[in-house]
Amino acid sequence: MSIQTIGIIGAGIMGNGIAQVCAAAGFQTIMNDVAEAALERGMKTIGGSLERLVRKGAMTEADQATVMARIRTTTSAEDLAAADLVIEAATENEALKVKILQNVDRILRPGAIIATNTSSISITRLAAATGRADRFVGMHFFNPVPVMALVEVISGLQTSEETAQAVAELARRLGKTPIGVKNSAGFAVNRILCPMLNEAIFTLQEGIATAEEIDAGMKLGCNHPIGPLALCDMVGLDTLLAVMNVLYTTFNDPKYRPATLLQEMVDAGRYGRKSGRGFYNYAK
């Protein structure tokens, strides 16, 4: 299964990161979003990321220009018809994802693969909404995409072994390390990580320690490179809440209930870095 052109749906923090690594690995890349402004922000983010590599001596200016030239942006989903594989990286909302996936399923040629970057939603259920369930797979990248080495390749009940192997090989071509994961709420990493982040929010909520003290404690006491509350801000509190709700609903276990403070923060529009304020203030 030859993959030459990759489509990305969504130009946000995950989408533009995925587009960057695809273009840097030599793939023709089509980044699609409903809003032209989002595409412009996405390209600006990619340009800034590549510029930092140039300043570090990890990339030449000529290479930077080549990578940028491989990325085509479009607000028309029809332009994804040229893709051999499309990675959906829209907001963590199942109804929205189903709508997007059904539309792209209609557009793509029969042999093309659809992958979703969902953090927690059932691959089996999303696949069933399309007409190519055997060529549907989870391809879960981690933030920040250009830096993080892992990709979870999640097979739904209907995903063919050929599809899973093709996507794992693609991940390796992108310079990532794939791990195979069975379809289950939260998959492997978020099943472990998100309850830990949620517990850090409970710790703050109960006044046991300040945000700074919690993060310092985990960095110094557990050798974590970033504190859990700072990581929440990086991931996005809205995304974390969505994952916790999936875990709580799926397993019906109170250990997965989202912290009240997490819900309050999301209700207030304090999503973290993306909104300028979360547990820390980034609007400076």
Side-chain angles (χ1 to χ4, degrees), residues 6-31 42 45-46 49 67 70-71 85-90 97 115-118 138-148 150-151 170-171 174 176:
I6 298 175
I8 314 294
I9 300 176
I13 190 168
M14 295 301 293
N16 69 60
I18 296 169
Q20 178 182 327
V21 299
C22 289
F27 294 94
Q28 293 301 313
T29 304
I30 306 166
M31 186 165 67
T45 298
I46 294 169
S49 177
V67 172
R70 290 193 186 112
I71 305 173
L85 176 142
V86 167
I87 303 169
E88 171 273 313
K97 286 184 182 293
T116 176
N117 184 56
T118 180
M139 193 176 189
H140 183 212
F141 293 80
F142 291 79
N143 184 31
V145 177
V147 176
M148 300 298 283
L150 180 67
V151 172
L170 172 62
L174 296 179
K176 305 300 183 184

Side-chain angles (χ1 to χ4, degrees), residues 109-193:
R109 62 179 176 78
I113 295 172
I114 301 178
T116 176
N117 184 56
T118 180
S119 301
S120 61
I121 300 170
S122 169
I123 302 303
T124 297
R125 198 160 61 241
L126 291 177
T130 75
R132 61 184 78 215
D134 62 322
R135 294 183 303 286
F136 189 98
V137 68
M139 193 176 189
H140 183 212
F141 293 80
F142 291 79
N143 184 31
V145 177
V147 176
M148 300 298 283
L150 180 67
V151 172
E152 287 182 308
V153 178
I154 308 113
S155 294
L157 183 65
Q158 319 94 314
T159 306
S160 71
E161 183 62 26
E162 181 186 16
T163 297
Q165 288 180 1
V167 170
E169 177 56 29
L170 172 62
R172 285 187 282 269
R173 290 175 66 186
L174 296 179
K176 305 300 183 184
T177 299
I179 61 170
V181 179
K182 293 181 180 179
N183 184 53
S184 180
F187 315 129
V189 174
N190 280 340
R191 172 81 174 266
I192 299 165
L193 174 65

Side-chain angles (χ1 to χ4, degrees), residues 29-111:
T29 304
I30 306 166
M31 186 165 67
N32 166 251
D33 200 288
V34 293
E36 185 64 43
L39 291 168
E40 291 174 2
R41 286 193 301 271
M43 290 301 289
K44 183 178 180 181
T45 298
I46 294 169
S49 177
L50 296 176
E51 181 60 38
R52 286 191 292 275
L53 293 176
V54 172
R55 288 198 300 268
K56 292 177 181 177
M59 174 180 282
T60 67
E61 290 185 357
D63 288 339
Q64 177 189 14
T66 299
V67 172
M68 293 293 286
R70 290 193 186 112
I71 305 173
R72 173 189 175 193
T73 62
T74 179
T75 56
S76 173
E78 302 293 332
D79 290 333
L80 295 168
D84 303 304
L85 176 142
V86 167
I87 303 169
E88 171 273 313
T91 304
E92 193 73 354
N93 177 293
E94 184 168 348
L96 175 63
K97 286 184 182 293
V98 166
K99 182 179 179 181
I100 290 169
L101 293 168
Q102 288 178 334
N103 187 47
V104 77
D105 181 39
R106 172 187 63 81
I107 292 166
L108 293 179
R109 62 179 176 78

Side-chain angles (χ1 to χ4, degrees), residues 269-278 280-284:
R270 296 182 181 180
Y271 302 148
R273 289 180 179 270
K274 69 174 92 175
S275 68
R277 187 169 182 184
Y280 299 94
N281 188 357
Y282 304 93
K284 298 177 181 177

